[in-house]
Amino acid sequence: MSAPLLIEYVSPGVVVLTLNVHERRNAMTAELSEAWAQAMAALRSDRTLRAAIVTGAGTAFCAGGDLDWLESTVRSHGSMSALRSTMSNFYQMWLSIRELPVPSIAAVNGPAIGAGLCLALACDLRYAAPGAKFSAPFTSLGVHPGMAATALLPEAVGMPRAREMFFTGRVIAAEEAVQWGLAASVVDDVVAHAIEVAGAIAATDAMAVELTKAALIHPHRTVAEGLTWESFAQPMTMAQGMAGSAVSVPQAGR
C-alpha cells in the first residue's frame, strides 16, 4: 500500500505534503492522521525549512474527517469527557501546521470540505485550482462545526458569509472563493504555483519572515501592543542584517 502522506522536498527549504488517500478523497483517516502528526513533529525541528505546501492526491484536497473513524470513536467512548478529549487532540493535531514557524500554503486542488476546509484555512496562504470547492456542511450533517471552524472561517470571509456557509452548507466554487477571501487566486497548476510562491518566500530573510508570521498568527489586540512587538522585532532584524550573523528567533508571546 502507498503511504497515506507523501513528503517531498522540491527545493532547498520547501516541502510539499500530499494527502494520499485519494480513494477516500483524502479524508482524515487514522493512518493519515498519524502520518500527519509525525510529519509536523519532524518539520517543527527542521531549521532548514522555509515554507510548507499542503495539497491532495487525485481530484480532492480533503473531504474532511473520516466518518467511519468518527462514528467508531463516538461508539467506543464511555463518557462525553473522554470523547471531548479525543476530538480536541484530533483538532489540535491537524491544526498544528499553524505552529510551524514558517509560512504554510494550501494548494487546493479540489474540494475542501468540513475539516478539510479548516485545514486549508489553517494555512497562511491559499491558492485554488479551477475545480476547487469550499464547503462547511457541518449542520447539514447534524453536527456542530469542529476543528476551529467557528474561528477560522469568520477570520477568512467575515461573519455574515461564515453564517451563510455554516447554516446552509453552501458550496463555494473557486472564482467566488477568491472574492470571499477563501483563496488568493485561481491557477491552473496550483501546486506549481504554490511551489513558485514558496520559492519566493525562501529567497527572503528567514528571521524577518518568521517574526512576521509570529506576529500575524497571534493578532495584536491593540495598536499599542503591535507597536511594542514591532519596536522589538524590526530592530532585531535590522541588527541581524548589519551584523551579517544569525540571531535566535524568540516566540511571539502575548
Side-chain angles (χ1 to χ4, degrees):
M1 294 180 61
S2 58
L5 180 68
L6 305 180
I7 304 171
E8 180 184 7
Y9 280 84
V10 294
S11 63
V14 176
V15 66
V16 177
L17 305 167
T18 303
L19 311 181
N20 190 39
V21 194
H22 52 84
E23 67 278 6
R24 302 292 301 275
R25 297 176 65 77
N26 301 318
M28 296 166 172
T29 63
E31 295 78 13
L32 178 57
S33 298
E34 181 179 355
W36 179 264
Q38 293 174 357
M40 289 299 107
L43 292 178
R44 281 195 297 271
S45 63
D46 182 358
R47 297 310 301 166
T48 69
L49 187 67
R50 298 299 314 279
I53 298 166
V54 184
T55 193
T59 58
F61 177 73
C62 179
D66 177 25
L67 294 181
D68 291 341
W69 177 82
L70 291 173
E71 289 176 3
S72 66
T73 298
V74 170
R75 288 195 300 268
S76 64
H77 283 74
S79 69
M80 186 59 66
S81 177
L83 178 59
R84 177 184 180 186
S85 177
T86 296
M87 295 308 298
S88 177
N89 290 339
F90 176 81
Y91 300 153
Q92 293 181 45
M93 174 183 59
W94 277 100
L95 294 175
S96 61
I97 193 168
R98 288 172 59 86
E99 299 169 10
L100 294 181
V102 303
S104 55
I105 304 171
V108 185
N109 58 302
I113 309 299
L117 169 64
C118 296
L119 175 59
L121 292 172
C123 294
D124 298 299
L125 300 171
R126 293 177 294 279
Y127 299 97
K133 293 179 170 58
F134 302 80
S135 178
F138 297 99
T139 60
S140 302
L141 298 172
V143 296
H144 188 282
M147 216 166 100
T150 54
L152 294 173
L153 187 57
E155 178 185 72
V157 304
M159 189 59 76
R161 285 173 167 168
R163 289 192 185 105
E164 182 177 359
M165 290 184 70
F166 283 135
F167 295 154
T168 69
R170 179 180 169 188
V171 176
I172 309 300
E175 292 291 348
E176 189 172 21
V178 174
Q179 300 171 16
W180 280 36
L182 288 168
S185 60
V186 179
V187 289
D188 290 331
D189 193 335
V190 70
V191 175
H193 182 72
I195 291 172
E196 182 180 348
V197 173
I201 292 171
T204 63
D205 181 77
M207 177 180 285
V209 171
E210 290 190 22
L211 288 174
T212 301
K213 172 164 180 173
L216 295 175
I217 202 70
H218 300 291
H220 304 296
R221 291 167 295 186
T222 65
V223 171
E225 191 175 74
L227 289 175
T228 298
W229 171 255
E230 290 174 2
S231 65
F232 159 75
Q234 190 173 69
M236 187 175 185
T237 53
M238 292 169 64
Q240 177 198 232
M242 289 185 290
S245 60
V247 183
S248 60
V249 179
Q251 296 296 314
R254 294 287 181 267

